[in-house]
Amino acid sequence: MTDFLQGQVILAPLTKGGNLPFRRLCVELGCGVTMGEMALAHKLLKGGRSESALLRRHELEPVFGAQIAGRKPEQLAAAAVLAQERGASFVDLNLGCPIDLFCRQGIGAALMQKPGRVARLVQAMVEAVEIPVTVKIRLGFEDGKPRYREVAEAVQEAGAAAVTLHGRSRKQRYRRAADWEAVAELVQALRIPVIGNGDLLTWRDVDRRWKGSA
């Protein structure tokens, strides 16, 4: 189910940046897998135009992933169905958003503290759709308290098709360099594909990571 990810440089889901015109430009420059901006499950189910627009896929996008955030299994399952109906190739559960507003609501990176709940969310999404369900995580919520392996193993058992690891904790936000050693560790620990995320700003950064150098 994840053959489309193999050997690809995947566009990260960039809130307020990864809109459709930007993604079209990325495709023209050779990007094979694009990701939409984070959409909130409960707003998608209300049918709001601005939130629904985040699921829009352009015909030129060869592989498009819709990223959804939420904390209720039934809402995430229904939102995943909407993404599938709109033509998404896969749907991604966001456990990486560090913004205070969302973390206070118990979504995004706040869920890194609750592996069991995360597993139930993923299972609900997997059972609701035919397209692959992937999950984006961080190292953990607090510095010095890594939870990424525990959470990744939980979502793997729940049926996730792949995991993206952003190599920072929620508390670090974007202030420190991403920990790619943690990414390498997770690759060895899981059966499903692991996508590394963090500090890939130029083609040189990507090339260096492909070669496994610092």
Side-chain angles (χ1 to χ4, degrees), residues 165-200:
L165 176 59
H166 182 95
R168 297 180 176 93
S169 70
R170 182 263 177 179
K171 189 173 182 178
Q172 290 170 0
R173 299 290 183 101
Y174 304 96
R175 290 190 292 269
R176 300 180 188 174
D179 183 353
W180 278 79
E181 291 185 4
V183 175
E185 176 192 332
L186 201 59
V187 169
Q188 297 300 316
L190 298 187
R191 301 186 304 274
I192 59 177
V194 175
I195 303 162
N197 178 243
D199 298 337
L200 299 180

Side-chain angles (χ1 to χ4, degrees), residues 8-172:
Q8 292 284 349
V9 177
I10 301 165
L11 179 66
L14 306 170
T15 297
K16 297 185 178 180
N19 54 38
L20 192 146
F22 176 76
R23 300 197 311 267
R24 287 185 61 185
L25 176 61
C26 291
V27 170
E28 290 177 8
L29 294 174
C31 183
V33 181
T34 54
M35 290 280 287
E37 301 173 76
M38 183 184 78
L40 300 176
H42 69 278
K43 289 189 176 182
L44 287 173
L45 299 182
K46 291 180 179 178
R49 293 180 61 183
S50 60
E51 210 72 17
S52 297
L54 302 179
L55 300 183
R56 185 182 174 194
R57 174 185 184 175
H58 194 273
E59 61 184 8
L60 295 179
E61 293 181 275
V63 178
F64 171 69
Q67 189 179 82
I68 299 173
R71 60 186 178 87
K72 296 183 178 180
E74 66 278 7
Q75 289 183 347
L76 283 167
V81 171
L82 285 177
Q84 179 176 263
E85 292 174 347
R86 298 289 182 86
S89 306
F90 64 102
V91 60
D92 187 71
L93 174 61
N94 182 305
L95 305 184
C97 180
I99 297 173
D100 291 340
L101 173 65
F102 298 127
C103 286
R104 285 196 296 266
Q105 297 174 22
I107 63 178
L111 286 165
M112 288 297 299
Q113 303 171 100
K114 301 178 179 180
R117 183 176 184 84
V118 169
R120 293 191 293 273
L121 299 179
V122 172
Q123 183 176 358
M125 295 172 71
V126 169
E127 292 176 350
V129 295
E130 297 179 0
I131 58 177
V133 174
T134 62
V135 184
K136 181 178 180 180
I137 65 176
R138 280 184 174 247
L139 295 180
F141 192 78
E142 299 288 346
D143 288 345
K145 296 181 180 179
R147 303 294 296 274
Y148 63 96
R149 181 160 178 173
E150 182 181 1
V151 173
E153 290 175 346
V155 303
Q156 175 178 258
E157 296 308 313
V163 171
T164 297
L165 176 59
H166 182 95
R168 297 180 176 93
S169 70
R170 182 263 177 179
K171 189 173 182 178
Q172 290 170 0

